[in-house]
Amino acid sequence: MRHEDGPEPIGAWAEYPSLRTQDALRERGIYIGWLAGILLVGGGIWFFTQSLRTTLLLRTVNQVLETAQDSRRLEGPIPRHISWGRLPWGNWYTLAGSEDRVLVFSLMSNGIFIPCMAVVSAGTGKVVDDTILPLTSHPEQTLKEIPRGLIKTYIRRIESPPFPKTGAVRQ
C-alpha cells in the first residue's frame, strides 16, 4: 500500500473527514473572538479614561510650566465637540486669566515625538508670537534642533480652518 499524501488518518479522523473542517473553523472562531475581545476592551479603556487622561495632561503641563518658571497656567479642558471649531489633533485648554486657548500636541521631528503647546489668540485665531513652546526639560535647546520650516507648518495647521470653504454653511 503506497501513500503519497502522508500517513493514513487514524481514529475519528478516518471515519469523519468533516471533523477536520469543523475543528479548523472552531479554532479560527476562537482566535477571531479573542482578537475582537481584546480590541473591545482596549477601545473601552481608551474611551472611558479620556477625561482622566485629559486632566492628567493638564496637571503635567502646569508642572512643566512651573518648572520652566513660565507664568502661564492651563485652567481647564475644552470639550472636543466645542474645540473652538478646530480639528482635534491635540488637546485644547483654556489659559488661566485670559480668553486665549492653548493647544497641547505632539510635534514630530527626526522621528521623535516632542510634546509642545501653542497659545492661540481668542480674537484672531492666530498663534501668539508665532511660537510653539516645547514641553521638555530643555525647551531652548529643543527649539534650536527643530527646523523653523517644520514649526511654520505646524503653525499653519493650527491656524487653518478645519474644513475647506465650499460655499456650504456648516452648522
Side-chain angles (χ1 to χ4, degrees), residues 18 23 29 66 76-77 81 87 89 99 114 142 144 158 160 170:
S18 66
D23 283 346
E66 186 177 331
H81 64 280
L87 291 175
W89 56 282
E99 291 290 319
I114 302 168
T142 306
K144 289 177 187 173
I158 293 168
S160 68
R170 180 172 163 79

Side-chain angles (χ1 to χ4, degrees), residues 4-84:
E4 293 180 12
D5 293 336
E8 193 171 311
I10 302 173
W13 294 109
E15 295 177 27
Y16 306 104
S18 66
L19 286 178
R20 277 190 230 163
T21 306
Q22 290 174 355
D23 283 346
L25 288 174
R26 186 178 306 131
E27 286 179 18
R28 286 184 184 149
I30 290 171
Y31 177 74
I32 290 171
W34 268 101
L35 188 60
I38 289 171
L39 289 174
L40 281 172
V41 168
I45 289 171
W46 178 83
F47 179 77
F48 290 113
T49 61
Q50 192 167 5
S51 62
L52 175 65
R53 290 182 289 118
T54 302
T55 304
L56 290 175
L57 181 62
L58 177 128
R59 286 186 196 161
T60 303
V61 170
N62 280 339
Q63 288 174 354
V64 169
L65 291 173
E66 186 177 331
T67 303
Q69 297 175 347
D70 193 330
S71 62
R72 295 176 284 201
R73 296 290 179 265
L74 303 184
E75 196 169 61
I78 300 173
R80 285 211 182 259
H81 64 280
I82 300 176
S83 289
W84 213 32

Side-chain angles (χ1 to χ4, degrees), residues 23-24 27 39 47 70 82 89 91 95 115 117 121-122 125 138 141 154 157 169:
D23 283 346
E27 286 179 18
L39 289 174
F47 179 77
D70 193 330
I82 300 176
W89 56 282
N91 290 321
L95 192 61
M117 81 175 219
S121 171
H138 303 289
Q141 181 180 359
Y154 275 90
R157 285 183 185 174
V169 177

